[in-house]
Amino acid sequence: MKKALVFGGNSYEHEISIVSAIALKKVIKKELIFIFLDESGEFWLIDDANMKSTYFAKREYRKAKKLFLLKGGFHKKTLFGFESIGKVCVINLVHGGDGEDGRLASMFDFYGVSFVGPRTEVSVLSFNKLYTKALADMCGVKALAYSFVTKKARKLAKPDAYPVIVKPCRLGSSIGVSVVKSEKELDYALDVAFEFDDAVLIEPFVENVREFNVAGARVGSEIVYSNIEEPKKEGYLDFEKKYLDFSRTQEVAAAGVEEQLAAKLKESFAKIYSFGFDGAIIRCDFFVVDNEVYLNEVNPIPGSLANYLFGDFNALLEGVSHSLPTPRRIKVDYKYINEIKSAKGKL
Amino acid sequence: MKKALVFGGNSYEHEISIVSAIALKKVIKKELIFIFLDESGEFWLIDDANMKSTYFAKREYRKAKKLFLLKGGFHKKTLFGFESIGKVCVINLVHGGDGEDGRLASMFDFYGVSFVGPRTEVSVLSFNKLYTKALADMCGVKALAYSFVTKKARKLAKPDAYPVIVKPCRLGSSIGVSVVKSEKELDYALDVAFEFDDAVLIEPFVENVREFNVAGARVGSEIVYSNIEEPKKEGYLDFEKKYLDFSRTQEVAAAGVEEQLAAKLKESFAKIYSFGFDGAIIRCDFFVVDNEVYLNEVNPIPGSLANYLFGDFNALLEGVSHSLPTPRRIKVDYKYINEIKSAKGKL
């Protein structure tokens, strides 16, 4: 089955999704179909030759062929109706809204499209940082303490101690995130965060915390782990820096993590992954404090699928695409209606 | 805007959704459009006159007009393409899978269809009974203690004490639920539950617990509460009994609950509803133990929308349909691509 990269979306991360797709085009060795989702919710079939960021920025994609998502997959419009572009295995590369909030996953499952990416349930749990705390808890993995405040109740935001980190609940890629060193900086940070979401998470900001990224996916019955990366931080990674991060294609050397810690990180990754991420290549970002592993966040669609962390990304992707969960389909037999009808006459 | 009742779905509750729709047809005074979602994922426009359960059980709906969900709403196929059936406000009445698991909500939000019903996030949280525990916790409402076991790890199911109640995590309407009085009954109850889901919740079964149902919805800035019902139980409500329950259209008298308890129940309802159920008419089922309120479950699309609990259901529905949340839409300006391009030449 051919693979189709779906990217774009109505999201603050729309542009980095384009960058991410261009990066993956360089990495993936097999033939790919490119499907762009514009901000208005329309799908476009993009020629290989047009996979350049300016093509999208100049909105030249509007000259491309429009696609429609219908039962069985993507379709082109023909003179008298619709024609399937053929069975494809979608790779969901829509970072942020549409892609990571469960919308596309819901649609793909509904229409019977096979796809690499997080399913609806775990998308919802990992898209909202508040729910990620619950996810960690359900998986038996530690997470940092937090408080949570909504726009309506913002005056209740009263951290016990500073510095804290203020994050909109529903955004990735550090958008709207601030480190707050003292009470007088809090108001501005909340203003910024509430620009992007009505709900905000406040966590203690642990200075010089060690951070580790582990990516992986289930292939058959085994979880394939990536190299463990200890990302270099200059202060706090901001959006522009992360943006460039999404275009990475070069393999990263393993972090040289002590064996025992590496085992702990992998064990935590496995607990989270096994909770329902089958079919997706995800990256978990962990903090390590006093030798204890804490989940910071789950990236269920990491930038360029974290290809740079894997020794053989192409083999991984192929493996995952053959290890996709199948949604439960139910056979309706109208047993109850028939029984009640025969017991009571017409209903 | 006309209202369209969407019902059916690929779900164990497919048939009760039909019953539920027929019940609502009797209750709703305004003109309604009926859209049936069959088990295979196709939508059908159903004539008023055909809204009888046998019409569906005999699969006569296949002679009806097929509908397609595209940008802006439902469309009919015409000779040369597709034609909108006009702007409608959907009432999501698909109980169980497709309707309550966030799939249809995702699709309606994606395609810009306004709808009465739970949004994706809270659908996911209330569809899975394990997540409902986390939901209660995040809302500051108590829930009964529980243990959780997956099919793979079923030998870990070892309740401390009996009786317990064994429930598949993802089903409503009591399907696959058993009360287990002793260890020797556990295995069979797990077999039954695992028929329907790979994950199972085990809770203590509190004998003679008082149970109360409260329904409601936000209209404008106020929550409208239903009468509080104390459902009569004969042992444990089974599927057949619940099935008939979905066809209720007659107003229920208030339970005559003590004022203080009623206030507590409403306060708990408000905490849960305010977490993200705007746009939906939901029913929360609570237990009361030692005068403390515990959330049992959230029905984000209760049978026939719990119309029988409200004094003026038509006014409520009208009010809710004018109080729908609007999904956040993002304006993409290609600022980053343009900046990087001008800084670095072509990307």
Side-chain angles (χ1 to χ4, degrees):
Chain A
M1 216 188 297
K2 277 191 199 164
K3 293 194 176 61
L5 217 53
V6 174
F7 60 101
N10 188 270
S11 151
Y12 294 107
E13 295 172 77
H14 177 95
E15 295 182 59
I16 55 185
S17 175
I18 294 171
V19 173
S20 207
I22 294 169
L24 271 191
K25 178 175 182 280
K26 289 183 200 145
V27 170
I28 296 174
K29 302 272 180 268
K30 287 208 173 170
E31 194 189 338
L32 278 176
I33 295 167
F34 297 96
I35 299 176
F36 176 60
L37 173 58
D38 73 16
E39 62 191 288
S40 82
E42 297 201 282
F43 296 100
W44 305 86
L45 183 62
I46 306 296
D47 274 354
D48 290 30
N50 289 326
M51 284 297 293
K52 298 189 181 107
S53 62
T54 50
Y55 177 79
F56 301 98
K58 289 181 178 162
R59 301 184 193 266
E60 285 173 29
Y61 63 84
R62 287 175 181 160
K63 288 177 238 155
K65 191 92 188 156
K66 215 182 263 191
L67 294 180
F68 298 85
L69 191 52
L70 300 169
K71 199 177 160 184
F74 287 98
H75 290 67
K76 284 186 216 180
K77 200 170 178 311
T78 60
L79 202 52
F80 298 106
F82 286 82
E83 185 188 82
S84 170
I85 64 163
K87 280 247 173 217
V88 295
C89 172
V90 162
I91 300 168
N92 179 2
L93 201 65
V94 176
H95 306 300
D98 281 345
E100 288 181 306
D101 58 9
R103 278 193 197 162
L104 286 177
S106 290
M107 293 168 70
F108 293 148
D109 270 340
F110 185 84
Y111 285 122
V113 178
S114 61
F115 69 104
V116 173
R119 273 51 202 169
T120 306
E121 277 199 352
V122 290
S123 297
V124 164
L125 293 181
S126 50
F127 190 58
N128 186 316
K129 294 182 173 75
L130 177 62
Y131 304 171
T132 303
K133 300 288 185 184
L135 172 68
D137 192 46
M138 290 187 279
C139 297
V141 173
K142 289 194 166 70
L144 290 185
Y146 68 96
S147 62
F148 159 74
V149 66
T150 59
K151 206 173 204 167
K152 279 184 199 158
R154 70 176 277 171
K155 61 179 191 295
L156 297 177
K158 291 208 193 309
D160 295 331
Y162 291 88
V164 292
I165 185 159
V166 173
K167 305 171 170 178
C169 274
R170 287 181 194 79
L171 278 175
S173 300
S174 319
I175 306 170
V177 174
S178 318
V179 175
V180 175
K181 296 204 180 86
S182 67
E183 199 185 329
K184 65 174 197 285
E185 295 174 16
L186 182 63
D187 231 34
Y188 180 71
L190 288 175
D191 281 347
V192 171
F194 283 130
E195 278 277 305
F196 297 100
D197 200 341
D198 297 338
V200 160
L201 214 64
I202 304 177
E203 288 176 347
F205 180 67
V206 189
E207 217 101 34
N208 300 318
V209 68
R210 291 185 77 185
E211 190 179 334
F212 296 94
N213 298 344
V214 189
R218 190 185 306 279
V219 173
S221 60
E222 297 288 313
I223 291 181
V224 176
Y225 300 94
S226 72
N227 292 331
I228 297 174
E229 186 184 27
E230 186 168 6
K232 281 181 202 68
K233 286 180 294 187
E234 306 159 38
Y236 187 73
L237 221 61
D238 66 17
F239 185 63
E240 259 100 318
K241 288 194 204 98
K242 274 227 174 171
Y243 180 81
L244 293 171
D245 211 48
F246 277 68
S247 60
R248 288 165 73 184
T249 55
Q250 211 146 25
E251 198 193 334
V252 156
V257 182
E258 316 83 277
E259 212 173 298
Q260 227 183 349
L261 180 58
K264 270 193 193 175
L265 288 165
K266 285 180 182 174
E267 190 197 348
S268 299
F269 180 94
K271 283 181 183 168
I272 290 160
Y273 192 91
S274 303
F275 197 74
F277 286 97
D278 279 22
I281 298 170
I282 73 171
R283 198 188 74 212
C284 290
D285 298 350
F286 296 106
F287 291 141
V288 174
V289 183
D290 294 336
N291 218 26
E292 287 279 7
V293 171
Y294 293 80
L295 178 67
N296 177 28
E297 59 179 63
V298 181
N299 293 285
I301 308 178
S304 61
L305 295 186
N307 70 84
Y308 50 86
L309 291 178
F310 293 95
D312 188 346
F313 179 76
N314 278 278
L316 175 78
L317 184 61
E318 200 54 34
V320 175
S321 71
H322 289 98
S323 306
L324 302 177
T326 42
R328 194 181 274 266
R329 300 295 301 176
I330 281 136
K331 193 96 205 76
V332 174
D333 55 11
Y334 293 107
K335 181 176 160 244
Y336 290 102
I337 287 178
N338 290 328
E339 268 176 17
I340 287 166
K341 200 203 131 210
S342 60
K344 307 223 282 171
K346 270 191 300 188
L347 193 78
Chain B
M1 215 189 298
K2 278 189 197 164
K3 292 193 178 60
L5 218 53
V6 175
F7 61 101
N10 187 270
S11 152
Y12 293 108
E13 294 172 77
H14 177 95
E15 296 182 59
I16 56 186
S17 175
I18 294 171
V19 174
S20 205
I22 293 169
L24 270 190
K25 178 176 183 279
K26 290 183 199 145
V27 170
I28 296 174
K29 303 274 180 267
K30 288 208 172 169
E31 193 189 339
L32 278 176
I33 296 167
F34 298 96
I35 299 176
F36 175 60
L37 173 59
D38 73 16
E39 63 191 286
S40 81
E42 296 200 283
F43 295 100
W44 305 86
L45 183 62
I46 306 297
D47 274 354
D48 290 31
N50 290 326
M51 283 298 293
K52 297 186 182 108
S53 62
T54 49
Y55 177 79
F56 301 99
K58 290 181 178 160
R59 300 185 193 263
E60 286 173 30
Y61 64 83
R62 287 175 180 160
K63 288 177 236 155
K65 190 92 189 154
K66 214 182 265 192
L67 295 180
F68 298 85
L69 191 52
L70 301 169
K71 199 178 160 183
F74 287 99
H75 290 68
K76 286 186 215 180
K77 201 169 177 316
T78 60
L79 202 53
F80 299 106
F82 285 81
E83 185 187 83
S84 170
I85 64 163
K87 279 247 173 214
V88 296
C89 173
V90 162
I91 300 169
N92 179 3
L93 201 65
V94 177
H95 307 299
D98 280 346
E100 289 181 305
D101 58 9
R103 278 195 198 162
L104 285 176
S106 291
M107 292 168 70
F108 293 149
D109 270 340
F110 185 84
Y111 286 122
V113 177
S114 62
F115 69 104
V116 173
R119 273 51 203 169
T120 306
E121 276 199 353
V122 290
S123 298
V124 164
L125 293 182
S126 49
F127 190 59
N128 186 316
K129 293 182 173 75
L130 177 63
Y131 303 171
T132 303
K133 301 287 184 184
L135 172 68
D137 192 47
M138 290 187 279
C139 296
V141 173
K142 289 194 166 70
L144 291 185
Y146 67 97
S147 63
F148 159 74
V149 66
T150 59
K151 206 173 204 168
K152 277 185 199 156
R154 71 176 277 172
K155 62 179 191 295
L156 297 177
K158 292 208 192 309
D160 295 331
Y162 291 88
V164 293
I165 183 159
V166 173
K167 306 171 171 178
C169 273
R170 286 181 194 79
L171 278 175
S173 300
S174 320
I175 307 169
V177 174
S178 319
V179 175
V180 174
K181 296 205 180 85
S182 68
E183 200 185 328
K184 65 174 196 286
E185 295 173 17
L186 183 64
D187 230 34
Y188 180 71
L190 289 175
D191 280 347
V192 171
F194 283 130
E195 279 276 305
F196 297 101
D197 200 342
D198 297 337
V200 160
L201 214 64
I202 304 177
E203 287 176 349
F205 180 67
V206 188
E207 217 102 34
N208 299 318
V209 68
R210 291 186 75 186
E211 190 178 336
F212 296 94
N213 299 345
V214 188
R218 190 186 304 281
V219 174
S221 60
E222 297 288 313
I223 290 180
V224 176
Y225 300 94
S226 71
N227 292 332
I228 297 174
E229 186 184 27
E230 187 168 5
K232 282 183 201 69
K233 285 179 294 186
E234 307 160 36
Y236 186 73
L237 220 62
D238 66 17
F239 186 64
E240 259 101 317
K241 290 196 200 95
K242 275 226 173 169
Y243 180 81
L244 293 170
D245 211 48
F246 276 68
S247 60
R248 287 165 72 184
T249 56
Q250 211 147 26
E251 198 193 334
V252 156
V257 181
E258 316 83 276
E259 212 173 299
Q260 227 182 349
L261 179 57
K264 269 194 194 175
L265 288 165
K266 285 180 182 174
E267 190 196 347
S268 298
F269 181 93
K271 282 182 183 170
I272 290 160
Y273 192 91
S274 304
F275 197 73
F277 285 97
D278 279 22
I281 298 171
I282 73 171
R283 197 188 76 212
C284 290
D285 298 350
F286 296 106
F287 291 141
V288 174
V289 183
D290 296 335
N291 218 27
E292 288 279 6
V293 171
Y294 293 81
L295 178 67
N296 177 27
E297 59 179 63
V298 182
N299 292 285
I301 308 178
S304 61
L305 295 184
N307 71 84
Y308 50 85
L309 291 178
F310 292 95
D312 188 347
F313 179 76
N314 278 277
L316 175 79
L317 184 61
E318 200 54 34
V320 175
S321 71
H322 289 99
S323 305
L324 301 177
T326 41
R328 193 181 275 266
R329 299 295 301 173
I330 281 136
K331 193 94 206 76
V332 174
D333 55 11
Y334 293 106
K335 183 178 157 240
Y336 290 103
I337 286 178
N338 290 328
E339 267 176 19
I340 286 165
K341 199 202 132 213
S342 60
K344 306 221 284 173
K346 272 190 299 188
L347 195 77

